[in-house]
Amino acid sequence: MAEAAASGKSGKVVITNIGLLLSGDIDHPILDADTIVVNDGLIVAVGKAKDCDTARAHTTIDAHQTCVAPGLIDSHVHPVFGDWTPRQNQIGWIDSTMHGGVTTMISAGEVHLPGRPKDIVGLKALAITAQRAFDNFRPGGVKVLAGAPILEKGMVEQDFKELAEAGVGLLGEVGLGSVKAGYEAKEMVAWARKYGIQSTIHTGGPSIPGSGLIDKDVVLEADADVIGHINGGHTALSEQHVCELCEKSSRAIEIVHNGNEKVAIAAAQAALQLKCPHRVILGTDGPAGSGVQPLGMLRLISLLSGLGNIPAELAFCFATGNTARIRKLNCGLIEVGRDADFVFMDRAQHTAGRDLLDSVQLGDIPGVGMVMIDGIVRCGRSRNTPPATTIPSVVDTALH
């Protein structure tokens, strides 16, 4: 099992010689800058080297003209305990996903726990335990926002108040428990929202035996904050109904790797046509029956760009800044005050693409050369992506 993240601060970190800086901001996806300065895990300057204070750095990294982007945020995962998933009986999946550029994960419910409690006392206890456990344990340094209770019949407003007071900030997928009717879900979603708990609703056919269909009318009536896996998890609603959800709801449009790929493209294109691309966020919906996908986020970005004809720099925003803003996170954007969570990428060796963005638009995934979380290097060349043509290097680490 991966070790918990190292404690301590990053000190001053300077990243120089950046060839392409993706901002995560869908309104301005590419920054005219080549340098980032970090202090104790937060970005303190972004700009040209001549305009930044780069002296007396604890760590200096030469990006060698590669791309730096915000660390990817997987908006939809199903963790259980530690870096283990019982769904596939696999150890190390979170650390492995970090090698795919993911620095933050958001739980949509700890549903795969063997014997998951469904009584109200038990489900609240599980949510609080999961929230606490992943707050204390970060495999590979990844920030796992866990503790997402599944709604069950009989829950009352006081339950949501208690959960919020205990530190729970998420609901698991609405519809995976006994609450499946739109009117029931709407009341509980409203209680959750009142106490600052964000909600996600299952969309589409059943994911595993025992779950059920959640159709467009239930999704619209429940009015959860996130339309979870709008492209199905795994089975999608009709393309017409998915586009109707994009049009009639103002909530986040979540597209996942473990869903219908044709409908994923249709949903993203619908958001662009409706002039609301800021609503699109991405996740994997793993671990699941489909397995664990360490490169799931990168593969989804290349799918939407390569087959959906969406500019690659916008697709990266779906996986970073859009999610950060909708989920109210301090990562996902390259701007002063944000968490120093970065993925360094370059075009994969021997891709037909001229550069990183072109290679992604041709359908290839990039090579990851380094991942930083809170300003600390968590891995060098990825063990999972195709090898990047060029990788960054740590050129100086000073001890003060």
Side-chain angles (χ1 to χ4, degrees):
M1 182 173 289
E3 293 297 319
S7 58
K9 301 289 189 178
S10 70
K12 184 175 181 179
V13 179
V14 175
I15 304 169
T16 64
N17 197 20
I18 299 168
L20 172 67
L21 187 52
L22 299 180
S23 69
D25 181 354
I26 202 159
D27 294 322
H28 303 95
I30 298 176
L31 294 176
D32 182 19
D34 59 17
T35 302
I36 300 173
V37 182
V38 171
N39 190 42
D40 287 346
L42 295 177
I43 300 171
V44 295
V46 180
K48 297 292 188 179
K50 64 182 176 59
D51 301 319
C52 296
D53 175 11
T54 60
R56 297 180 300 280
H58 180 275
T59 303
T60 301
I61 294 173
D62 185 343
H64 294 297
Q65 287 293 298
T66 59
C67 170
V68 176
L72 307 181
I73 305 169
D74 188 337
S75 176
H76 195 125
V77 297
H78 291 292
V80 177
F81 286 128
D83 204 355
W84 167 70
T85 169
R87 178 57 60 184
Q88 299 295 339
N89 196 24
Q90 183 170 333
I91 291 173
W93 69 277
I94 297 174
D95 178 78
S96 195
T97 301
M98 181 269 293
H99 278 258
V102 173
T103 57
T104 299
M105 294 178 168
I106 300 167
S107 176
E110 294 74 38
V111 294
H112 299 316
L113 177 71
R116 173 174 63 88
K118 299 179 182 179
D119 64 288
I120 295 169
V121 172
L123 72 87
K124 289 193 294 184
L126 172 59
I128 294 166
T129 300
Q131 184 273 324
R132 296 286 195 280
F134 280 105
D135 195 44
N136 293 328
F137 178 70
R138 289 172 47 185
V142 177
K143 301 167 184 176
V144 183
L145 308 181
I150 302 299
L151 296 184
E152 300 288 354
K153 289 179 180 291
M155 294 183 75
V156 297
E157 182 175 346
Q158 181 64 23
D159 294 317
F160 296 88
K161 183 173 186 291
E162 291 174 3
L163 283 164
E165 289 173 347
V168 171
L170 301 165
L171 284 189
E173 281 180 70
V174 177
L176 293 187
S178 57
V179 175
K180 301 183 188 299
Y183 72 91
E184 286 181 306
K186 179 180 180 179
E187 181 178 46
M188 292 187 184
V189 162
W191 286 335
R193 190 174 289 132
K194 177 179 177 179
Y195 295 106
I197 299 174
Q198 193 175 64
S199 56
T200 297
I201 189 165
H202 179 95
T203 308
S207 54
I208 55 175
S211 58
L213 168 70
I214 301 295
D215 63 22
K216 72 173 179 66
D217 295 323
V218 173
V219 173
L220 290 171
E221 186 174 8
D223 192 34
D225 298 305
V226 176
I227 304 173
H229 51 57
I230 197 169
N231 60 316
H234 309 271
T235 309
L237 301 177
S238 71
E239 203 168 298
Q240 177 186 344
H241 285 181
V242 167
C243 292
E244 192 175 331
L245 285 175
C246 293
E247 184 174 5
K248 290 187 175 180
S249 172
S250 62
R251 302 301 183 180
I253 299 165
E254 183 185 77
I255 298 170
V256 300
H257 179 274
N258 283 349
N260 182 311
E261 294 174 328
K262 185 172 187 292
V263 174
I265 293 167
Q269 291 177 336
L272 291 172
Q273 290 162 7
L274 292 166
K275 300 189 181 342
C276 58
H278 59 282
R279 290 170 53 200
V280 179
I281 61 179
L282 306 184
T284 58
D285 195 10
S290 292
V292 171
Q293 303 86 21
L295 306 183
M297 293 294 288
L298 290 174
R299 291 178 62 82
L300 190 51
I301 289 167
S302 68
L303 170 78
L304 295 176
S305 183
L307 293 181
N309 296 315
I310 293 171
E313 62 269 27
L314 296 189
F316 276 104
C317 293
F318 296 163
T320 55
N322 278 8
T323 312
R325 285 172 169 155
I326 286 169
R327 297 290 196 174
K328 298 178 174 60
L329 305 176
N330 197 49
C331 54
L333 292 156
I334 305 292
E335 60 184 29
V336 172
R338 297 278 178 170
D339 294 346
D341 300 346
F342 311 124
V343 55
F344 296 69
M345 300 175 289
D346 196 16
R347 62 178 188 155
Q349 292 178 9
H350 304 295
T351 174
R354 298 183 308 276
D355 53 33
L356 179 135
L357 295 180
D358 187 49
S359 71
V360 172
Q361 293 204 214
L362 290 176
D364 285 331
I365 60 173
V368 169
M370 181 179 286
V371 175
M372 296 184 74
I373 304 177
D374 295 326
I376 298 171
V377 176
R378 304 296 177 167
C379 74
R381 189 190 289 276
S382 170
R383 65 173 185 257
N384 291 330
T385 64
T389 300
T390 305
I391 62 172
S393 61
V394 179
V395 295
D396 182 48
T397 299
L399 297 177
H400 298 290

